[in-house]
Every structure is written in structure tokens, then in C-alpha cells.
Amino acid sequence: MDIASPAPAPAAPKATILIVDDTPDNLKLLSSLLKDSYRVKVANNGRKALEIAGASPAPDLILLDVVMPEMDGYAVCAALKEAPGTRNIPVIFLTGRADEADRERGFALGAVDYIAKPVDPPAVLQRVAARLPVS
């Protein structure tokens, strides 16, 4: 009597990370770092970020630069946290502005973490993974 081996369980879908930064090199670096473990979407400005975040399916986490023209990361975070469809998406600020007042402002707006640039790739991977829901 042959016992068939069980079929492998289907792989859990990859979480989606939205990276928002106005600097193409930062988008490229972070996309390259995250693409093997996550679905990656990018936006080079705040308005595009809000459009992508508000679409279905929404990203599971947002890496958000603070210093951007037109609409800075603080304004983007505030808009995300005001909208019912995006308010529960974790936001991690990624920025060169890392003094205590900037961090406090980011956390007050609802960010879950604050990573200073230049980024340390292993730290980014660990902190992103720590903020995603366990599947």
C-alpha cells in the first residue's frame, strides 16, 4: 500500500511594501533590498503614495521619506491616518531628519518606527519584518 506524500501547502502571499521617496537612487536601493521577500510598489511623491495606498489591495506597510517637495512625509502620514481605508497601514519613516523633535512628530502622527538615513540594510529588513502582521 503506497502512501502518497501530502501536497505542499500553498505559499502565503508576499506582503506588499510601498516605498515613498523622491530620490530615484533611494527607491532603487530599497526596492532591490526588499524585492526578494516582498511585493514592492514605489511612489516618488506624496500624492502618488496616497493614490497607491488607497487602491485595492492596500499595501501592508509603507516606508515613507519625510523630506519631499510639494507634500512632505508628515502630510502624507497625516492623510493616511485620517482615511478609513489606510489608517491601519503601518508607516515607517525613512529620513535624514533624525533629531528628537522629528521623531516625536512622526510618532505623534501615527508612525510605528523611524529609521535614519543612510539606511543599514539588515536593520531595515528586520524592522520591516517586525512591523508586518504574522501570516
Side-chain angles (χ1 to χ4, degrees):
M1 175 175 189
D2 285 336
I3 298 177
S5 54
K14 290 182 178 181
T16 300
I17 309 293
L18 171 58
I19 304 167
V20 186
D21 200 305
D22 62 315
T23 305
D25 286 345
N26 290 341
L27 291 174
K28 187 176 178 181
L29 169 73
L30 291 164
S31 294
S32 173
L33 177 65
L34 297 166
K35 70 180 181 181
D36 290 339
S37 300
Y38 306 101
R39 281 188 306 267
V40 175
K41 295 183 179 185
V42 298
N44 62 1
N45 63 63
R47 300 217 184 282
K48 185 70 175 170
L50 293 174
E51 180 184 315
I52 293 170
S56 183
D60 297 294
L61 183 135
I62 299 172
L63 292 175
L64 180 59
D65 186 24
V66 171
V67 181
M68 296 185 291
E70 296 179 39
M71 184 178 209
D72 71 13
Y74 295 130
V76 174
C77 187
L80 289 166
K81 297 306 178 183
E82 288 174 7
T86 57
R87 73 172 38 126
N88 294 323
I89 300 171
V91 173
I92 297 176
F93 278 118
L94 257 167
T95 184
R97 297 177 73 175
D99 67 32
E100 188 62 30
D102 289 318
R103 283 192 301 274
E104 286 178 13
R105 183 174 179 194
F107 288 129
L109 287 168
V112 297
D113 207 342
Y114 207 97
I115 300 173
K117 291 180 185 176
V119 298
D120 173 37
V124 170
L125 289 171
Q126 188 277 328
R127 289 164 94 170
V128 164
R131 294 299 178 177
L132 288 169
V134 177
S135 51

